[in-house]
Amino acid sequence: MYPPPRKDFISLTLSDQHSRSYNNGKHRRQSCLRKWKQLSRLQRSLVLFLLGLLLICGLLSYPGLSRQWGDVPDREDWVELDDRELRPVPPGANPVAGPAVGARAAAVGLAAGPEVGPALGPAAGPVLIPVPEIIPEIIPEPQKPKVLLLPKPLVKKRPFLNKRGPPSQQRAGNASELLVRKQPEPPGKTEEVEEEKGDKQLVSWRGAMIEADQATEAPPSPERDIPASPGAKDASPLEPEFAEARNWVETELSFSKDVDVNLFESTIRILGGLLSTYHLTGDQLFLDKATDIGTRLMPAFKTPSKIPFSDVNLGKGSAHPPRWTADSTVAEVTSVQLEFRELSRLTQDPQYQEVVNEVMRLVHKLPGKRDGLVPMFINTNSGQFTHKGAFTLGARADSYYEYLLKQWIQGGKTENDLLEDYLQAVEGVKKHLLKQTGPSRLTFVGEMSQNRFNPKMDHLVCFLPGTLALGAHNGLPTEHMELALQLMETCHQMYVQMETGLSPEIAHFNLQPHDGRELDVKPADRHNLLRPETVESLFYLHRFTQDSKYRDWGWDILQSFNKYTRVPSGGYTSINNVRDPVNPGPRDKMESFFLGETLKYFYLLFSDEPDLLSLDKYVFNTEAHPLPIWPSAP
Ligand code: DMJ
């Protein structure tokens, strides 16, 4: 048995060990050095190379570095990572953004690298970019496909640092205020995934990922983006896009096709769009194209009654009604007049105007109306209304009323039959279709069928506040304006009372005084097609009253569109259910009126230019294409 070690022994031992180990180390180092010197130059290079390789592998296997430098497994993850921090880049720095980052930067109005396209402009001066944008510069990603991204020109020219948020709340601010503030959550929202990142949030729902900071860019400079007067040729930030579109119209757009088209839809969208573009640019190409399609649509009017067929074959020059009936829709045959009349005025060829004026003459004296209200169908053989006794301001009748007023305005307020029919129709609405809800006395326009009132209102009816206000602006009774204000409130309620903040296609109003909700939506009516009518009316009411609440209401609608209908890969979609914010049911379909009308009316609503497309100079067709009000006859 050994005695316990003494402390000094221990100390001595350790010291001794240390000394021995030191001496051993010294000897080892000396022998290593000797051995190293004995190696050939080739052997030394090989050893150094292997050591270097080991070092690099070691570094790359370190998880943090690996994530940043090496593989970027998922683009979405990478974008989310981007959001965590923003930092300034010094002047002159040229961050090369990957496509997703570039697009994202464009979406929030920040600087973007050259891959985004020259239109976004280089990052000049101190700008903010997401931190990882500089990483591809360190280790480029050769496998990344070069995706040509369409620039977002409305953002690129001006970051609009002082114009974020509802127009009534716009104020000067710094760049961080570009980020959209968190919106209050709709009730019943449970499954939504949200990640708040500072001021930003990502909101995802099945089928779509909405980036809140992609939300609405502030309105662009109106005077630069839309020429203010016919033939204006000011440089516009949209010039490259316009040049591309013009080139397409010139080289690709051909109406010489064996294809059936709907007379009304083709007139309001294509003919109206071409005429409007002609006025805004002064470019003869658009008038030539308008004349071409206008002429190709003319066979529709060759019917026994002169009430046009619904369908025309553009290539064959033949026309026909739908397969199952000889009827046309009243709204359709009476809502092509603004366009055909204007085509005659521009071409000095009366044939277009004559056919559409004839329709109005026939309808003006037709029996079957009730106090100016028209049925929904008209027969192309007999020229008589059919399915009489059913009246609505919604589908199949709506734009008849709109075009009565607008033709009267277009023609310089001289065509008294049009005015008479319009005034009588407003009285008919008041007498037969206007009611108030029981609980809060909301004014709405219902429907009537065989003398039975139905408290059902299509979202389409929300064009009416705007039209009534336009009439009042043109000297019609002030009570039209009062009615417009009341109906505007109702259309607003059709949005705010839904869980998504978006209106259903159809609402049923409650006439009972003490019985539950203001409005009800049937399961089949819960879809939203990105329709424009409410935004359109908000534009008119804001223009005429300058009341900022209409802009605020419009801003809220836009936020809801962004939250529930925006698709990350581009565009917006109709949805199935405005009552389900968790699963609104994207349809993967965007109607063309969303771009043609809804966004245009948003643009006009938020514009600070009081006379942009002045309502004293232009009348908007039912697809939101402005046509000039004719100069008064001498
Ligand atoms: C548009 O195509 C036109 O406004 C038409 O008059 C009816 N409504 C749709 C959009 O909702």
Side-chain angles (χ1 to χ4, degrees):
M1 195 172 166
Y2 294 102
R6 292 193 340 238
K7 269 190 187 164
D8 52 350
F9 178 74
I10 293 172
S11 155
L12 177 68
T13 307
L14 285 175
S15 152
D16 195 32
Q17 279 177 342
H18 180 259
S19 162
R20 268 205 301 269
S21 123
Y22 171 74
N23 287 335
N24 284 346
K26 193 173 164 191
H27 288 143
R28 254 201 309 274
R29 270 201 302 277
Q30 279 170 354
S31 86
C32 276
L33 199 62
R34 210 176 308 122
K35 279 182 184 152
W36 176 253
K37 282 182 182 165
Q38 285 167 355
L39 291 175
S40 72
R41 189 176 297 170
L42 181 65
Q43 286 170 320
R44 279 187 223 159
S45 312
L46 197 62
V47 170
L48 283 174
F49 172 73
L50 287 171
L51 280 173
L53 201 63
L54 278 172
L55 184 70
I56 290 170
C57 289
L59 282 174
L60 286 181
S61 66
Y62 185 67
L65 285 176
S66 167
R67 195 170 56 232
Q68 289 183 40
W69 288 12
D71 55 318
V72 179
D74 179 282
R75 178 61 61 196
E76 288 298 330
D77 290 348
W78 196 39
V79 171
E80 286 190 27
L81 198 68
D82 289 346
D83 291 327
R84 295 204 182 114
E85 203 181 339
L86 295 171
R87 77 171 189 195
V89 169
N94 187 20
V96 180
V101 174
R104 183 174 178 74
V108 295
L110 305 180
E115 282 176 78
V116 177
L120 275 162
V127 291
L128 292 172
I129 61 162
V131 168
E133 278 193 42
I134 59 174
I135 288 170
E137 197 180 33
I138 302 168
I139 298 185
E141 293 178 74
Q143 71 275 36
K144 262 190 230 165
K146 295 268 175 195
V147 181
L148 176 64
L149 292 171
L150 285 179
K152 304 214 171 198
L154 298 188
V155 183
K156 78 188 186 239
K157 288 286 175 181
R158 292 178 173 197
F160 290 102
L161 302 184
N162 60 340
K163 287 194 165 188
R164 203 68 189 171
S168 61
Q169 292 168 24
Q170 286 168 5
R171 60 192 166 79
N174 58 34
S176 64
E177 290 177 313
L178 281 169
L179 308 178
V180 171
R181 306 221 173 275
K182 187 167 162 49
Q183 297 293 306
E185 294 314 322
K189 184 168 140 176
T190 51
E191 281 177 40
E192 254 175 341
V193 180
E194 294 189 14
E195 287 190 32
E196 212 179 324
K197 289 160 188 171
D199 268 353
K200 298 195 216 178
Q201 62 176 341
L202 280 180
V203 179
S204 52
W205 39 269
R206 252 170 278 167
M209 165 81 80
I210 309 294
E211 294 176 39
D213 61 356
Q214 278 186 333
T216 327
E217 292 90 26
S221 170
E223 70 281 5
R224 285 172 56 77
D225 287 331
I226 295 183
S229 58
K233 298 239 195 296
D234 285 350
S236 157
L238 294 173
E239 259 181 12
E241 291 76 17
F242 176 74
E244 191 185 345
R246 186 201 181 278
N247 185 50
W248 182 85
V249 170
E250 186 170 33
T251 59
E252 304 285 330
L253 179 60
S254 166
F255 299 121
S256 178
K257 295 246 160 71
D258 180 5
V259 59
D260 281 352
V261 299
N262 177 281
L263 167 71
F264 163 73
E265 300 292 359
S266 304
T267 300
I268 65 172
R269 296 176 197 225
I270 305 172
L271 178 55
L274 289 166
L275 290 171
S276 193
T277 311
Y278 170 68
H279 279 293
L280 296 173
T281 62
D283 188 333
Q284 183 67 27
L285 167 70
F286 297 104
L287 180 55
D288 292 345
K289 289 287 181 187
T291 310
D292 185 19
I293 191 168
T295 307
R296 289 172 186 276
L297 292 171
M298 287 292 278
F301 295 88
K302 288 193 185 131
T303 66
S305 66
K306 298 188 178 162
I307 298 295
F309 288 130
S310 59
D311 296 290
V312 193
N313 187 297
L314 290 179
K316 289 186 184 162
S318 57
H320 59 87
R323 233 173 269 136
W324 59 91
T325 176
D327 289 353
S328 285
T329 296
V330 170
E332 292 192 359
V333 303
T334 55
S335 305
V336 291
Q337 279 66 16
L338 290 177
E339 299 81 358
F340 276 79
R341 282 154 51 112
E342 179 60 9
L343 185 58
S344 272
R345 191 178 76 94
L346 291 173
T347 59
Q348 294 293 295
D349 181 346
Q351 63 164 323
Y352 311 106
Q353 177 157 354
E354 280 168 5
V355 290
V356 295
N357 280 352
E358 179 63 11
V359 175
M360 295 313 294
R361 267 194 297 275
L362 290 169
V363 172
H364 173 67
K365 57 181 193 215
L366 212 53
K369 294 184 208 166
R370 187 162 309 167
D371 296 310
L373 302 178
V374 289
M376 289 178 271
F377 297 97
I378 187 165
N379 190 277
T380 51
N381 290 322
S382 67
Q384 300 297 312
F385 290 126
T386 63
H387 303 84
K388 291 184 197 164
F391 302 101
T392 175
L393 265 274
R396 300 189 181 276
D398 48 0
S399 46
Y400 161 73
Y401 304 101
E402 177 188 352
Y403 267 37
L404 286 176
L405 177 74
K406 288 183 173 176
Q407 287 177 80
W408 178 68
I409 293 170
Q410 177 192 44
K413 305 186 201 173
T414 57
E415 296 152 286
N416 289 334
D417 285 354
L418 294 167
L419 177 62
E420 192 182 298
D421 287 352
Y422 177 74
L423 289 172
Q424 204 188 354
V426 175
E427 291 311 305
V429 169
K430 290 193 326 204
K431 185 169 171 186
H432 300 290
L433 305 181
L434 206 65
K435 288 267 188 296
Q436 291 191 323
T437 58
S440 302
R441 312 209 67 71
L442 274 183
T443 303
F444 68 95
V445 179
E447 299 185 351
M448 192 167 60
S449 183
Q450 312 311 329
N451 295 320
R452 275 180 62 110
F453 181 77
N454 182 356
K456 158 183 179 277
M457 179 166 149
D458 293 352
H459 180 271
L460 287 167
V461 180
C462 290
F463 81 93
L464 192 57
T467 297
L468 287 168
L470 181 65
H473 177 73
N474 280 279
L476 303 188
T478 51
E479 58 189 77
H480 287 203
M481 189 64 186
E482 285 153 23
L483 183 53
L485 300 179
Q486 290 170 26
L487 290 172
M488 191 76 260
E489 171 65 41
T490 303
C491 292
H492 170 58
Q493 289 301 321
M494 286 171 70
Y495 283 74
V496 297
Q497 294 200 16
M498 295 301 109
E499 286 79 352
T500 55
L502 292 173
S503 170
E505 177 73 358
I506 298 170
H508 286 77
F509 288 89
N510 182 7
L511 295 168
Q512 306 307 316
H514 308 293
D515 184 16
R517 295 175 65 96
E518 209 67 44
L519 59 93
D520 186 34
V521 186
K522 299 200 185 307
D525 303 333
R526 293 184 175 175
H527 48 291
N528 180 295
L529 305 184
L530 312 169
R531 286 197 188 276
E533 290 77 17
T534 295
V535 185
E536 170 186 355
S537 285
L538 288 171
F539 156 64
Y540 281 104
L541 263 67
H542 180 264
R543 211 23 107 82
F544 297 137
T545 66
Q546 291 298 306
D547 187 336
S548 63
K549 81 177 177 192
Y550 298 120
R551 276 184 163 181
D552 294 342
W553 293 357
W555 181 260
D556 290 342
I557 294 171
L558 184 51
Q559 294 307 312
S560 291
F561 276 136
N562 278 327
K563 190 167 182 180
Y564 295 106
T565 72
R566 191 165 180 167
V567 178
S569 55
Y572 290 72
T573 176
S574 302
I575 56 171
N576 285 328
N577 192 350
V578 295
R579 308 222 62 171
D580 188 348
V582 175
N583 183 14
R587 287 185 171 180
D588 195 18
K589 183 174 184 189
M590 184 175 81
E591 301 284 348
S592 75
F593 52 67
F594 181 68
L595 299 178
E597 293 189 74
T598 312
L599 291 188
K600 191 183 293 173
Y601 284 125
F602 272 130
Y603 182 101
L604 291 167
L605 173 63
F606 298 138
S607 167
D608 284 329
E609 184 72 35
D611 259 350
L612 176 62
L613 296 175
S614 164
L615 292 170
D616 296 318
K617 294 187 183 133
Y618 290 95
V619 65
F620 285 82
N621 87 339
T622 193
E623 199 69 9
H625 298 304
L627 297 172
I629 295 172
W630 299 343
S632 307

